[in-house]
Amino acid sequence: MQKNPFDSVRPKYAELEEPGYFRSFNFCPELRNRVFESSWRNLVADILIELETFRPDIVVTTHPWLDSHLDHQFSALALVDALERWNQDCAIYLYTNHASGNEMYPFGPRDGMMGLPPWADGRGVRHCHCVDGLYSHPLTKETQRQKLVALEAHHDLRPFNIFDGSEVIEAPPGLNYYRRGGRPNELFYVSDFAG
């Protein structure tokens, strides 16, 4: 998609007659009423609309080098493309959900503080020139509870099929999202993006 930014891409998994159907539920009228085309160019343009509408001082996204999930990597790269076009100053808070090299991150029990994710190449954060600092955001017990409720809403994380009640293969304990999510803190690499 990124290599051919003007080419439209069909949905990979969903057999939808009208892929733009879900756009009709968008709160932003400019996005809701815009003709849907699944292309890199339009993805970046949609993100740019959001940046221009909300004018954020901070943007939170996955780290494109630390997160091993391709959708997460390329959504972060699309955000960077949109930020370059927006041409405003803001801070980018980068995190990882699928740590490259070790899917068990964050380590330790659910009530343990989150530490730095591993770097798959072993060179560490000093090698990355895009990081200006770190930020650890504390979460209240109530916010931690709300994050666990949000995880519970992800039907693919449940140990049973919501449609027929049959058992599904549960993730090994170390990979369990309920252990990994809802920590006492969230940890971000911070990068100052100068527009």
Side-chain angles (χ1 to χ4, degrees), residues 67-87:
D67 198 294
S68 64
H69 196 292
L70 286 176
D71 288 346
H72 298 179
Q73 292 171 358
F74 281 98
S75 63
L77 295 175
L79 171 64
V80 170
D81 281 2
L83 285 168
E84 288 173 348
R85 292 178 187 176
W86 186 43
N87 200 28

Side-chain angles (χ1 to χ4, degrees), residues 80-120:
V80 170
D81 281 2
L83 285 168
E84 288 173 348
R85 292 178 187 176
W86 186 43
N87 200 28
Q88 300 292 319
D89 295 345
C90 73
I92 304 175
Y93 284 25
L94 302 159
Y95 69 96
T96 182
N97 191 25
H98 304 279
S100 296
N102 199 326
E103 187 72 27
M104 291 181 65
Y105 174 80
F107 307 114
R110 188 177 75 214
D111 61 351
M113 296 293 282
M114 186 178 291
L116 294 173
W119 284 73

Side-chain angles (χ1 to χ4, degrees), residues 1 6-11 19 36-43:
M1 188 179 205
F6 296 97
D7 293 353
S8 187
V9 177
R10 295 282 309 152
F36 175 79
E37 181 187 326
S38 181
S39 68
W40 185 263
R41 175 188 62 175
N42 279 18
L43 173 61

Side-chain angles (χ1 to χ4, degrees), residues 67-173:
D67 198 294
S68 64
H69 196 292
L70 286 176
D71 288 346
H72 298 179
Q73 292 171 358
F74 281 98
S75 63
L77 295 175
L79 171 64
V80 170
D81 281 2
L83 285 168
E84 288 173 348
R85 292 178 187 176
W86 186 43
N87 200 28
Q88 300 292 319
D89 295 345
C90 73
I92 304 175
Y93 284 25
L94 302 159
Y95 69 96
T96 182
N97 191 25
H98 304 279
S100 296
N102 199 326
E103 187 72 27
M104 291 181 65
Y105 174 80
F107 307 114
R110 188 177 75 214
D111 61 351
M113 296 293 282
M114 186 178 291
L116 294 173
W119 284 73
D121 66 5
R123 292 182 283 182
V125 71
R126 289 174 296 195
H127 176 71
C128 178
H129 302 290
C130 67
V131 173
D132 298 312
L134 296 170
Y135 172 64
S136 177
H137 183 76
L139 299 180
T140 65
K141 289 286 187 190
E142 177 59 20
T143 301
Q144 291 174 55
R145 188 191 67 75
Q146 290 172 355
K147 286 188 75 167
L148 290 173
V149 169
L151 280 173
E152 179 60 24
H154 290 247
H155 62 84
D156 56 339
L157 299 180
R158 294 181 181 163
F160 58 89
N161 185 319
I162 63 168
F163 299 108
D164 65 10
S166 63
E167 187 176 341
V168 297
I169 298 171
E170 195 170 350

